[in-house]
Every structure is written in C-alpha cells, then in structure tokens.
Amino acid sequence: QVQLQESGPGLVKPSQTLSLTCTVSGGSINSGSYYWSWIRQPAGKGLEWIGRIYTSGSTNYNPSLKSRVTISVDTSKNQFSLKLSSVTAADTAVYYCARAPSGGPGTDWFDPWGQGTLVTVSS
Amino acid sequence: SYVLTQPPSVSVAPGKTARITCGGNNIGSKSVHWYQQKPGQAPVLVIYYDSDRPSGIPERFSGSNSGNTATLTISRVEAGDEADYYCQVWDSSSDQSVFGTGTKVTVL
C-alpha cells in the first residue's frame, strides 16, 4: 500500500523560498500512471491545489501560484518536491502531497494523501 | 476560473440523512470527487467518479451529479461522520484541480 510523507522546514522567513519533499513508500513513483500533487490548507480554511507532476516531468500549476511554484521529481529517490518562492504570511498553511491517477478525463481524484506538514512563514 | 460552491454547514440528527451539495457551472459534465476531513487529519477520499466508493468506505456514502449540482449523501448518519467535506473537479479549461469551499457536517 502506497504511503506518502512530507518533510521540510516548518519555519520559513518572508521573501525566502519554501522547500518541501514528499517521499513515496510502498511502491515506485515510476510504476503505473499517476500524477503527484501538492495541496495546501491554511488554518481554518479550505483546500487549495498547488500543482502536479507526472513522472515524465510534465507539470500543471495553479494559475494563481504559477509564477512562484516549481514541482520536480527524483525517481531515483522515489520523491517529488515543491518549491514556492517569495513567500509571505499568506503562504502559511499545512502542505499535503497526494497521488492521483492519470487515466484520462475525470480520473484525477487524490488518494492517498500524506499526513501533511505545517509551514509557517514568519521572521 | 471554475468555482465550486458548498453550503458552509449542514446539521443532521443521528440516523437521518445528510445531503451536501456542490454547485458549479454545468458540473454534470465533469467528474466529481468527495473528501472527508476530520480535525487534525488529512482528507480521505469517500467518493470518486461522481458515485463510486473506494474500498473501505461504507455504503452509507453515495454521490450523484447532474446539471449544475453534485450531491454527497450520507445515510443513517453516525457521530463518526462529523467532519468537513470537500468536493473536487478537474477544470480542463484552465488545466487545474479545483476544490469546493467545504461543508462542515455536525451531528446533533
């Protein structure tokens, strides 16, 4: 059973770059046809999709974050990563990684999810 | 961008039926997925492809989607169903995934 685990600094200073990694266990990130996504949730608020990557390296990003986001994949480590630049307090949130099938239109549900990691932007 | 609107809250007595709506322009033409999120936990997929249930999700959870509204129905509600629920679709016009605003289900 595939499991995902987020890791990275819990505190980032304003204007700096937030960097997180999601480690996939219980299966190869290269096996099957899946997208690997990042999703965030500010405290007390709803879910916001950040972006996704296919193991080929192709990406899609939330247009509202696109100028600041980079998602990459390292198949040798069975990991994918998120970089969010020029962060502000508004980027403080719990960040989740998740897997979605890539079987065609509509096959984009997220399952499973990582447990999430809180990132606070503060000086 | 595509907007999904959910009622902020739904209250239901134990044993009754809860219906959570997700409104979007012509949402019936999209596949809708639903997630349950309990406090301090990651979301869990409860419905995909409008009405399919992942393994391990009780039959009490069902979904439908038509016109401008998708609906998650929880039958014979239990105290353990108290959680936030989110709908989600892929918006092909902007190539992004979109979540609904979320609904807090309270079991009275």
Side-chain angles (χ1 to χ4, degrees):
Chain A
Q1 184 174 352
V2 171
Q3 293 183 313
L4 285 69
Q5 177 70 57
E6 305 88 351
S7 60
L11 181 64
V12 180
K13 288 181 167 49
S15 80
Q16 295 191 341
T17 296
L18 177 159
S19 295
L20 295 174
T21 296
C22 181
T23 300
V24 178
S25 60
S28 171
I29 199 170
N30 248 339
S31 66
S33 299
Y34 295 105
Y35 284 104
W36 304 91
S37 281
W38 288 97
I39 297 155
R40 70 180 183 179
Q41 184 175 38
K45 296 189 178 181
L47 300 165
E48 180 180 35
W49 180 76
I50 299 171
R52 69 181 187 181
I53 190 166
Y54 194 61
T55 47
S56 66
S58 66
T59 55
N60 298 99
Y61 297 132
N62 185 322
S64 69
L65 299 169
K66 187 174 183 177
S67 63
R68 298 193 292 131
V69 174
T70 302
I71 297 176
S72 59
V73 64
D74 187 337
T75 55
S76 67
K77 295 183 178 179
N78 231 31
Q79 296 175 334
F80 63 106
S81 299
L82 168 70
K83 291 188 184 301
L84 182 64
S85 63
S86 306
V87 297
T88 69
D91 295 310
T92 295
V94 174
Y95 286 75
Y96 297 99
C97 56
R99 185 186 75 172
S102 62
T107 62
D108 58 323
W109 57 85
F110 300 109
D111 181 53
W113 296 58
Q115 66 183 30
T117 187
L118 174 62
V119 178
T120 302
V121 178
S122 175
S123 56
Chain B
S1 62
Y2 195 73
V3 175
L4 294 174
T5 302
Q6 299 179 234
S9 62
V10 167
S11 297
V12 58
K16 300 298 186 183
T17 297
R19 292 181 179 84
I20 304 160
T21 58
C22 175
N25 184 35
N26 198 25
I27 195 174
S29 66
K30 302 179 184 298
S31 290
V32 180
H33 319 302
W34 291 90
Y35 304 87
Q36 176 193 69
Q37 185 180 33
K38 296 182 179 180
Q41 298 183 18
V44 172
L45 179 72
V46 294
I47 292 289
Y48 65 101
Y49 261 153
D50 296 340
S51 59
D52 288 349
R53 275 178 292 103
S55 60
I57 300 301
E59 291 183 8
R60 301 184 297 103
F61 288 82
S62 62
S64 62
N65 183 19
S66 179
N68 292 319
T69 304
T71 302
L72 173 68
T73 300
I74 311 173
S75 304
R76 302 180 299 282
V77 166
E78 302 174 357
D81 297 332
E82 193 163 276
D84 293 327
Y85 291 84
Y86 295 90
C87 56
Q88 176 245 325
V89 302
W90 178 263
D91 178 26
S92 55
S93 65
S94 59
D95 271 346
Q96 65 172 318
S97 190
V98 178
F99 287 96
T101 50
T103 298
K104 181 176 181 58
V105 170
T106 299
V107 181
L108 302 171

